[in-house]
Amino acid sequence: NLFKKLMNNQIEKWVDEWAIEDVDNGYRKINNHINFLSNVLFHDYQPTQAVAPDFFTRLEEWLNNAHTKDDKKTLFRLLPYLFYVGSKEFNSLYRVAYNEVIAKWILDVENIEFTNLNAAKVTLDNALLRTWICPITDSMNINSFYHINSIPGEVDYRPQWYNAGQTWNTISGGLVNYMRANGVNKLVLMEDFVGSGSQVEQTLEHAISLNLGIPILFVPLIICPDGATRFNRLQARHPELTYSAVLDLSDSCFVFPAPRIGEDDHFPNVRELVTRVYNQTSGGVAIDAGKPYTPFGYKRTGGLVVMHSNTPDNSLPVIHHESDTWAPIFKRHSRN
């Protein structure tokens, strides 16, 4: 605690200075909140474990991106709005995904009744043996999902379905033959986080195009409003598909490019800042010329979401993007 206090000394000085200048305005309360979150949540952020594990060191570097005191204040006041999903929270999402979404869907598909609880449990376990639960991308930790929920299964292979058509065409006759050989009669596809859903939609369209003749369930653990709209429409077009998210994010988790009625009073300041410093944040990458895409991230989503495993590129680049001229607070681990 003493070490952290010493590392946090500059931040404490700024907070005291700002509180005096603005007659507090909540800076000390925010600082206490951040100190609490650094201990219970922020410490488990995986992409910084090897190179920058100390949160307060990253925080000081992040605030020093700002060239003015007002910009420092805007960044500092943004922190309490982050929707951080820690490892324990993810374990809870895994359990809810299975118990409240997948198991109930199987009960409905198989017409299993709970008139006899023991018989229903045996029937559900048997149905699970013919249910293939797979990730769409490698960001969904499917093995942890299986372990936490103690799910039985005879189909042990759990491939990523993103670009599945390209990788499976020459393997054992492809996906269809594999499922038939293993008696699969239900398919569940999962993803940890879905933003706009454009890439995931392509994967689901591919799965549907295989004409498997079996019901398909898509379960995102966390989804943004644009993605929810997209998959509700997709479900309406394809009767074999069921879409059910575990957690639908509200508008309060986003700083949208244009003002919205009822948005938080601080969001206009954030919107102005991220737009103005985009060249610095991106390191000179033009808007839509590549990562980080726009001042509001991929597809202009404007997310405030940070997951312990990574930060989605749908979140604000000022949070996660690293360049020669910008040090992020929660650096995103990118594939390239």
Side-chain angles (χ1 to χ4, degrees):
N1 288 335
L2 177 60
F3 176 74
K4 286 186 176 181
K5 189 69 176 178
L6 291 172
M7 293 297 293
N8 198 18
N9 190 43
Q10 179 58 65
I11 297 166
E12 297 286 346
K13 288 181 179 178
W14 284 334
V15 168
D16 288 340
E17 177 186 333
W18 301 339
I20 293 171
E21 288 178 351
D22 297 351
V23 192
D24 197 282
N25 202 21
Y27 293 110
R28 290 193 176 98
K29 183 178 180 180
I30 293 172
N31 192 44
N32 290 336
H33 184 63
I34 292 170
N35 273 277
F36 171 74
L37 291 180
S38 71
N39 290 320
V40 300
L41 281 178
F42 297 160
H43 66 88
D44 72 352
Y45 189 64
Q46 292 179 356
T48 60
Q49 292 299 310
V51 293
D54 183 72
F55 171 75
F56 290 105
T57 300
R58 302 200 316 270
L59 175 58
E60 184 175 340
E61 291 176 352
W62 186 58
L63 294 176
N64 273 325
N65 288 314
H67 298 314
T68 69
K69 185 186 299 183
D70 285 343
D71 284 354
K72 275 187 173 63
K73 292 178 181 178
T74 298
L75 288 175
F76 185 76
R77 290 175 64 85
L78 176 63
L79 285 170
Y81 295 93
L82 298 184
F83 187 84
Y84 188 99
V85 189
S87 55
K88 292 182 180 178
E89 288 71 32
F90 253 98
N91 290 343
S92 296
L93 290 172
Y94 291 150
R95 287 191 288 270
V96 173
Y98 174 66
N99 292 305
E100 298 297 322
V101 180
I102 297 173
K104 289 183 177 180
W105 176 76
I106 292 174
L107 292 174
D108 183 56
V109 169
E110 298 282 348
N111 292 315
I112 301 173
E113 297 183 1
F114 271 92
T115 51
N116 183 317
L117 293 181
N118 290 330
K121 176 66 168 60
V122 172
T123 306
L124 176 60
D125 286 346
N126 288 334
L128 274 166
L129 297 177
R130 298 292 175 259
T131 304
W132 205 16
I133 306 176
C134 296
I136 287 184
T137 70
D138 60 1
S139 64
M140 173 64 201
N141 192 335
I142 200 67
N143 289 332
S144 292
F145 171 79
Y146 267 82
H147 296 329
I148 286 171
N149 289 299
S150 299
I151 297 174
E154 292 183 349
V155 186
D156 292 329
Y157 191 50
R158 301 153 193 162
Q160 301 162 29
W161 274 63
Y162 184 66
N163 288 332
Q166 297 177 23
T167 59
W168 272 79
N169 281 340
T170 59
I171 302 177
S172 302
L175 285 165
V176 177
N177 288 343
Y178 183 85
M179 284 186 278
R180 287 174 178 167
N182 286 275
V184 173
N185 63 6
K186 294 175 296 297
L187 176 64
V188 178
L189 297 177
M190 301 187 68
E191 185 67 346
D192 61 346
F193 175 87
V194 175
S196 66
S198 56
Q199 294 176 327
V200 173
E201 184 178 33
Q202 295 174 13
T203 301
L204 292 177
E205 291 276 17
H206 171 72
I208 294 167
S209 73
L210 295 174
N211 295 316
L212 301 171
I214 63 175
I216 301 171
L217 173 66
F218 170 49
V219 184
L221 299 182
I222 305 170
I223 194 164
C224 299
D226 286 350
T229 299
R230 181 184 297 271
F231 294 115
N232 277 317
R233 290 173 178 169
L234 186 66
Q235 176 181 236
R237 296 199 304 268
H238 299 285
E240 66 270 49
L241 175 68
T242 300
Y243 152 70
S244 185
V246 177
L247 180 60
D248 287 275
L249 296 177
S250 68
D251 285 358
S252 63
C253 295
F254 304 88
V255 178
F256 296 104
R260 295 205 175 186
I261 296 174
E263 72 176 6
D264 190 273
D265 291 343
H266 186 53
F267 286 4
N269 296 329
V270 176
R271 180 180 297 110
E272 188 278 331
L273 174 67
V274 301
T275 303
R276 174 165 46 82
V277 303
Y278 177 73
N279 188 63
Q280 179 187 354
T281 306
S282 69
V285 177
I287 293 176
D288 288 333
K291 298 176 182 179
Y293 307 109
T294 76
F296 300 90
Y298 185 66
K299 296 291 185 180
R300 294 173 169 77
T301 306
L304 297 172
V305 179
V306 177
M307 303 182 296
H308 77 101
S309 55
N310 209 2
T311 301
D313 58 6
N314 299 86
S315 288
L316 295 175
V318 294
I319 298 169
H320 65 77
H321 189 71
E322 182 179 49
S323 71
D324 292 340
T325 50
W326 192 266
I329 183 70
F330 291 106
K331 179 182 176 181
R332 170 176 165 78
H333 175 74
S334 184
R335 288 180 175 84
N336 51 52

